[in-house]
Amino acid sequence: MNDAFDSGINSMKLREQAEQLAAEQLVSVASSLSSEEMMRQLHELQVSQIELEMQNVALAELEQLKNAFESSRDLYSQLYEQAPVSYFSLNREGVITRANVAACGLLQRDKEQMLARPFEQFIAPQAQGAFRRFLDAVFDSGVRQVLEAPLFQNAPVDGGVVRIEANVDRATATARMLVTDLGDGLARDSALRRAFVILDTIREGVMVTDSDNLIISVNPAFTTITGYLAEEAIGRNPSFLGGGTHPPQFYASMWQSLRQEGSWFGELVNRRKNGERFVESLSITPMRTSDGATSHFVGVFSDITERKLAEAAVRELHRELDQRVIDRTAELVRANQHLQLEVHQREQAQVALRDAERFFHSTIDSLTDRVLVLDEAGKIVHANQACMAFTGHAAREVQYLQFCETDPRWQRKSGQELASGIRAVIAGRADIFTLEYEFATPAGARWSQARVSRFLGDGPLRVVVAHTDITERKLMDGALRQSHAQLRQLALHLETAKEDERKRISRDIHDELGQNLLALRIDISMLSARTEGSHPRLHGRVGSVLSNVDTTIKSVRGIMNELRPMALDLGLQAAIEWQVGDFRKRSGISCQLRIGDEALFAAIGSQVEIVLFRIVQEALSNVMRHSQASTVEIELSFDAWAIHLVISDNGVGITPQQQRKSQCFGLIGIAERVTALGGQFVIGAPASGSGCRLSLQIPLRPPA
């Protein structure tokens, strides 16, 4: 086995070996390979070299990740075992599955004497029931819980009181407990002094706030990191460090996490006293009283600005390396494609030179299309078998221009038109002439397309006339047009049926669900009135239910309006005015409705009313979701022939590429609705040049 694999992956040595092998291969085959084959071999070696380099980089990154993971795992295990506080891990039955050194010291037992034993055995009998309920609450709710309980009288710590803080790890179904010996007053004072010493010596900043979130204590590391002295910070809200670097939603989410999960951990950007920004990793934990109320908040943070900058630099370096590999690979791919194209073109040229004459004659005679070659006088120089079989004449028996002008089988004087086109091409008045015509045959009339073109060569003038049978295409075009008409009729019918179904569902919801919700609200309101003075807690719950019922009623109304607004029963004008008002309220975008003459509503049928309303609804929905506009204008007018609707905004507009996207179902639906009614639909830009303008017109009399 070679040294490169015996001693591990070495990217530089692997590259040297690859280059040496490539050089040996080039020398060994140089005498027997052509220049093209040598270039191909060189390209293959370059691609292999890049693949090896990419593999080396990937393996190095994997090795780094592995080392970092193992280091983090060992560090976590060491911190867990040597932590100055007592850690226990319990399963669902309360059996101890893991404990650190401090835990052994707390209970003064070896690990072998504690593992696989219920932690409840070390709790005083009068508190064992509370501990079982506490453990069930931890597993059931998943929220951090706190309990103070005395230990068993015969325990080595002689019945001291401990504080238990527990949370649950859902992945392993394990409760993790932090147990603190509260002891007597002297012990607590001693522990408090040790805690202050620790706070004064650790490098992480610590601040303690009261229940109103006002700072009451900070450690020296707080001053080192932020620059604020203790007397400058005490009594202030910690938000003064933020300086507006985070939105209010960020802090609202933080407090919600504290209330729901009992703690918060994250990263945020704050400002030092000198105005410099820094990134900190912050952990907030509430301190609770015996009755569960929050008395203080403890925040521990550290400055991670340098780490963040280093991570950003590493990401940028990786991105640059990846881009270099991609660019180099793309260059090699382009070179390979260019080389293959040149080889392919040369092979094609060689084949074409060998087979040109044979291919020309065999192709002309084997074509199903009818092909003729005429001279400058319009006489037939060559005609294939398909042409002679179609006309029933031999090639030399007829003068083609005379045949076109005199043969009665040409329908609607199409032969004379073809002869005129051939003369125009011969005279140079036109380069190409095309004609679709109908020709009578014993099997019936057939449609064909004639294409007349000049043969560009150095010899005498030649004109090529090619006839292609398009009878099947004509039949398919007619069938396709009929199918399109039927599909439009079906789409119009489906839209009408959908509107009727929306109307029926909306009324059913209004009649059935609306009445039931109203009756339910009346009953709950009566219950709320009865319990207002006699049952405060029940009255609060009833008020919450009443609020949910009101929300449900509002949602039902919204669903009915989405299906079919009740304003449609009052006419198109009322429905559009309601839609415009609802759009203003929901989006905050200014929307103006301009109606040229209210008499137009009397001239609009019910079917056109629904179409116009749905078009306005879909257009306003697109404006709210995509346009980023601040103003929308809707103009509705009519004349003696048609109804005109123009919707314009000042947003980002829509490009032709976006209009052709297959996902633009809203615009496709509008176009189909308008087309089904015989109207026209145009998408453009307003006169101002920015935004989007939808313009449509629908005839007052729908097409038959």
Side-chain angles (χ1 to χ4, degrees):
M1 186 177 295
N2 58 39
D3 296 335
F5 291 91
D6 288 339
S7 59
I9 297 176
N10 188 320
S11 60
M12 296 301 296
K13 192 169 184 178
L14 186 61
R15 183 182 180 90
E16 293 175 358
Q17 291 179 353
E19 291 177 350
Q20 182 179 359
L21 290 174
E24 293 175 357
Q25 290 180 4
L26 287 176
V27 172
S28 62
V29 301
S31 59
S32 60
L33 296 180
S34 64
S35 60
E36 295 177 357
E37 293 174 341
M38 289 181 64
M39 291 179 65
R40 189 180 296 109
Q41 291 288 343
L42 178 60
H43 170 71
E44 293 293 336
L45 291 173
Q46 289 175 337
V47 172
S48 301
Q49 179 180 346
I50 290 177
E51 290 178 353
L52 290 173
E53 292 175 353
M54 294 174 67
Q55 291 174 2
N56 287 337
V57 172
L59 288 174
E61 291 179 352
L62 290 176
E63 186 68 23
Q64 291 177 356
L65 291 176
K66 177 183 176 183
N67 294 336
F69 172 76
E70 292 178 351
S71 177
S72 299
R73 183 190 60 191
D74 296 340
L75 179 60
Y76 171 79
S77 178
Q78 182 180 1
L79 290 175
Y80 181 90
E81 291 294 334
Q82 303 300 327
V85 294
S86 302
Y87 287 126
F88 293 88
S89 296
L90 276 62
N91 60 16
R92 190 65 175 82
E93 290 73 24
V95 176
I96 300 174
T97 59
R98 188 176 181 182
N100 66 346
V101 175
C104 298
L106 175 67
L107 299 182
Q108 298 185 7
R109 294 176 184 270
D110 296 334
K111 284 189 179 181
E112 292 76 9
Q113 297 175 335
M114 292 190 300
L115 296 179
R117 294 183 60 183
F119 187 81
E120 182 181 336
Q121 294 181 0
F122 302 99
I123 301 296
Q126 65 273 16
Q128 290 180 356
F131 176 76
R132 286 193 295 270
R133 292 190 296 271
F134 164 78
L135 191 62
D136 292 338
V138 170
F139 278 100
D140 294 340
S141 65
V143 179
R144 175 178 172 273
Q145 305 286 338
V146 178
L147 175 69
E148 291 186 3
L151 294 180
F152 197 73
Q153 291 294 333
N154 294 329
V157 293
D158 198 15
V161 178
V162 294
R163 175 184 173 88
I164 304 174
E165 301 180 33
N167 57 15
V168 65
D169 184 0
R170 295 294 187 186
T172 59
T174 303
R176 296 176 294 192
M177 298 195 317
L178 187 152
V179 182
T180 305
D181 183 13
L182 299 181
D184 53 12
L186 181 60
R188 286 194 293 271
D189 291 340
S190 176
L192 186 60
R193 285 192 297 272
R194 288 195 302 271
F196 278 118
V197 172
I198 293 173
L199 289 178
D200 290 341
T201 56
I202 63 175
R203 300 175 60 183
E204 286 77 12
V206 179
M207 57 181 173
V208 182
T209 65
D210 57 14
S211 58
D212 295 328
N213 201 29
L214 297 179
I215 298 176
I216 62 175
S217 176
V218 297
N219 70 337
F222 175 91
T223 302
T224 303
I225 296 174
T226 66
Y228 288 97
L229 299 176
E231 53 269 21
E232 294 176 326
I234 293 176
R236 301 176 67 178
N237 191 294
S239 61
F240 80 94
L241 295 172
T245 55
H246 292 280
Q249 296 82 355
F250 177 85
Y251 297 104
S253 176
M254 175 192 299
W255 285 106
Q256 182 180 3
S257 176
L258 280 171
R259 288 190 295 268
Q260 293 180 353
E261 301 178 6
S263 62
W264 183 86
F265 177 80
E267 297 177 358
L268 66 162
V269 180
N270 280 340
R271 291 182 183 272
R272 308 185 201 273
K273 186 177 180 179
N274 59 6
E276 177 187 356
R277 291 189 178 186
F278 69 98
V279 184
E280 69 176 39
S281 176
L282 174 63
S283 173
I284 302 177
T285 304
M287 299 176 62
R288 305 184 186 276
T289 60
S290 58
D291 58 357
T294 301
S295 61
H296 298 82
F297 293 96
V298 179
V300 181
F301 64 94
S302 57
D303 188 353
I304 60 172
T305 306
E306 296 297 331
R307 192 188 76 188
K308 284 293 182 180
L309 293 176
E311 291 176 354
V314 170
R315 286 195 298 269
E316 181 64 21
L317 178 60
H318 280 217
R319 187 193 65 79
E320 292 180 358
L321 291 176
D322 293 342
Q323 188 61 41
R324 289 179 184 176
V325 173
I326 292 173
D327 294 342
R328 180 57 180 163
T329 304
E331 291 178 2
L332 292 176
V333 169
R334 286 194 296 270
N336 185 30
Q337 292 175 347
H338 182 69
L339 178 62
Q340 292 178 353
L341 180 61
E342 288 183 351
V343 173
H344 182 64
Q345 289 177 347
R346 182 175 298 180
E347 292 176 353
Q348 284 185 331
Q350 293 174 354
V351 172
L353 289 175
R354 290 194 305 266
D355 302 335
E357 185 176 357
R358 179 176 57 84
F359 177 77
F360 173 76
H361 292 289
S362 60
T363 301
I364 291 295
D365 291 333
S366 62
L367 288 176
T368 57
D369 292 347
R370 307 183 301 279
V371 181
L372 305 98
V373 181
L374 307 180
D375 60 12
E376 58 184 3
K379 294 182 180 180
I380 299 176
V381 177
H382 181 77
N384 64 353
Q385 296 299 323
C387 181
M388 296 300 100
F390 186 80
T391 60
H393 296 286
R396 302 295 180 181
E397 293 179 358
V398 64
Q399 208 277 350
Y400 193 70
L401 295 179
Q402 182 180 1
F403 165 73
C404 293
E405 294 174 338
T406 59
D407 196 299
R409 290 175 291 179
W410 298 93
Q411 304 296 310
R412 292 177 290 279
K413 299 182 180 181
S414 56
Q416 298 177 7
E417 188 176 354
L418 177 59
S420 299
I422 294 174
R423 288 192 176 93
V425 173
I426 292 175
R429 296 192 300 271
D431 293 332
I432 296 175
F433 175 78
T434 58
L435 174 68
E436 292 185 0
Y437 64 90
E438 191 176 9
F439 193 85
T441 65
R446 305 289 295 180
W447 279 91
S448 299
Q449 182 186 55
R451 188 178 188 275
V452 184
S453 59
R454 297 166 64 92
F455 180 77
L456 302 177
D458 298 333
L461 176 64
R462 292 291 184 265
V463 175
V464 180
V465 183
H467 301 266
T468 304
D469 193 323
I470 60 172
T471 305
E472 296 297 330
R473 194 192 75 186
K474 283 286 185 180
L475 295 176
M476 292 177 63
D477 288 344
L480 185 60
R481 285 193 295 272
Q482 182 180 4
S483 175
H484 283 177
Q486 292 175 350
L487 285 175
R488 286 197 177 95
Q489 293 176 0
L490 178 59
L492 184 60
H493 172 72
L494 289 176
E495 289 295 334
T496 303
K498 185 167 65 174
E499 291 295 339
D500 293 341
E501 186 66 13
R502 285 178 172 176
K503 182 177 180 180
R504 183 190 65 79
I505 294 174
S506 178
R507 287 181 177 175
D508 289 347
I509 292 175
H510 178 271
D511 295 341
E512 298 295 336
L513 186 57
Q515 292 179 6
N516 292 339
L517 288 174
L518 182 59
L520 179 61
R521 192 187 188 287
I522 292 173
D523 292 342
I524 296 175
S525 298
M526 295 173 62
L527 180 59
S528 176
R530 292 179 180 178
T531 59
E532 183 175 6
S534 57
H535 299 83
R537 295 182 61 185
L538 180 58
H539 178 71
R541 293 295 297 169
V542 171
S544 176
V545 173
L546 187 60
S547 176
N548 291 335
V549 171
D550 290 338
T551 303
T552 305
I553 292 175
K554 186 181 294 184
S555 299
V556 169
R557 288 176 181 170
I559 292 171
M560 289 190 298
N561 286 331
E562 288 293 334
L563 289 172
R564 188 179 187 277
M566 301 300 293
L568 274 175
D569 296 333
L570 303 178
L572 178 61
Q573 182 177 3
I576 292 180
E577 290 176 351
W578 171 86
Q579 181 66 38
V580 168
D582 182 68
F583 171 76
R584 291 196 196 102
K585 181 170 58 178
R586 289 191 296 125
S587 65
I589 299 175
S590 174
C591 184
Q592 299 180 2
L593 174 63
R594 297 175 181 171
I595 299 175
D597 188 355
E598 295 185 358
L600 69 90
F601 296 103
I604 299 176
S606 59
Q607 186 178 13
V608 179
E609 282 185 348
I610 293 295
V611 170
L612 289 176
F613 175 77
R614 292 302 181 188
I615 289 175
V616 171
Q617 188 180 48
E618 179 64 28
L620 292 179
S621 176
N622 287 338
V623 168
M624 185 167 59
R625 287 183 296 178
H626 307 296
S627 70
Q628 303 177 16
S630 61
T631 303
V632 182
E633 294 183 359
I634 303 174
E635 184 177 353
L636 188 62
S637 61
F638 80 112
D639 53 28
W641 297 277
I643 301 167
H644 303 273
L645 175 63
V646 178
I647 305 173
S648 58
D649 62 71
N650 62 346
V652 297
I654 181 171
T655 63
Q657 292 79 7
Q658 292 173 332
Q659 296 179 31
R660 291 191 292 268
K661 288 174 62 177
S662 59
Q663 292 85 358
C664 293
F665 296 111
L667 296 177
I668 294 173
I670 292 176
E672 286 298 323
R673 288 172 183 263
V674 174
T675 304
L677 295 176
Q680 297 179 358
F681 175 62
V682 178
I683 303 176
S688 61
S690 62
C692 181
R693 182 177 185 269
L694 306 183
S695 176
L696 60 94
Q697 61 178 12
I698 299 175
L700 290 175
R701 295 182 179 178

